[in-house]
Amino acid sequence: MMKYLLILSLLVSVHALAQLRLPTNETGQVQYQEIVRVPNAKLPARQLMGQLHDWAEFYYESEPTAEQQYDPEHNIQFIKASYAIDDQIVRYTLTVEAKFGRYRATITDLIAESKGISVPVRTTSSTASELERAADGKITNRKLIEQAAQQQADLYRQIDKSCRDTLASLKQFLTTLQK
């Protein structure tokens, strides 16, 4: 029994200290992107953008600070918005580009803000060892460092889920309308 508890605690410890990697673009910036074909392949881009506007009005209804800009010449919608995650705000930009029967949705420019400090979201969460090195010996409590690493990994999991949920909501809305 003790052997199994030891193995279980080691697995939990490894999981707690593991880095979380977010998707990136070719320049190494955190980026979520989907290219989606809607069921009506002949749907004009302007009509798709109209439906996107309807989705955005609904999706960002409870977020009065969300900013939207539409470029009608190129059928591109820019949305600057944020997620509230625990005691932090994560700001992001959603760009949606439409063409006949398809669109590309991209989430970039993720910035985490807490207590007046803004930090770009990196591609991987920090490990306890990285945080320890960054503290340069000023923090000697290993449990505190491990807790900070775990909190950052949890934040990154929530950011990942929020970004994926946003893209899934858009996809569901735009593909369901076409059926």
Side-chain angles (χ1 to χ4, degrees):
M1 178 71 170
M2 192 65 146
K3 180 179 170 183
Y4 293 113
L5 285 174
L6 179 62
I7 291 171
L8 180 62
S9 68
L10 286 174
L11 288 174
V12 170
S13 296
V14 168
H15 175 71
L17 301 177
Q19 283 184 309
L20 182 69
R21 184 173 230 22
L22 299 178
T24 59
N25 61 18
E26 62 281 349
T27 63
Q29 179 186 27
V30 174
Q31 174 180 294
Y32 291 81
Q33 187 173 74
E34 271 192 348
I35 298 173
V36 178
R37 294 191 183 283
V38 295
N40 179 358
K42 296 181 181 182
L43 183 69
R46 286 203 192 285
Q47 191 173 346
L48 192 56
M49 292 308 289
Q51 293 171 357
L52 165 73
H53 180 73
D54 292 344
W55 169 82
E57 289 296 314
F58 170 77
Y59 192 78
Y60 296 105
E61 173 179 52
S62 64
E63 190 182 332
T65 60
E67 298 174 30
Q68 297 186 48
Q69 294 179 339
Y70 175 56
D71 176 354
E73 185 178 335
H74 299 101
N75 290 310
I76 301 174
Q77 178 89 16
F78 301 95
I79 302 170
K80 290 189 177 282
S82 62
Y83 302 118
I85 299 176
D86 297 329
D87 64 341
Q88 297 190 49
I89 299 293
V90 177
R91 300 197 182 287
Y92 65 94
T93 301
L94 170 63
T95 305
V96 183
E97 303 159 90
K99 302 220 182 226
F100 277 96
R102 67 185 188 278
Y103 70 89
R104 177 173 59 190
T106 308
I107 296 176
T108 56
D109 305 326
L110 287 103
I111 307 275
E113 297 179 358
S114 179
K115 299 176 184 158
I117 298 172
S118 298
V119 179
V121 174
R122 299 178 359 182
T123 57
T124 57
S125 61
S126 299
T127 64
S129 297
E130 289 171 339
L131 292 175
E132 198 169 40
R133 280 192 303 276
D136 198 26
K138 293 181 178 96
I139 301 174
T140 57
N141 185 336
R142 180 71 181 177
K143 283 198 182 285
L144 185 62
I145 291 171
E146 288 174 1
Q147 182 182 9
Q150 180 61 44
Q151 287 173 343
Q152 188 181 52
D154 289 345
L155 173 65
Y156 275 44
R157 274 187 208 82
Q158 291 178 53
I159 289 171
D160 185 62
K161 182 181 180 332
S162 296
C163 290
R164 291 182 192 283
D165 287 352
T166 297
L167 294 177
S169 172
L170 175 61
K171 182 178 185 177
Q172 181 181 8
F173 186 88
L174 293 181
T175 57
T176 304
L177 285 176
Q178 304 305 312
K179 291 182 179 177

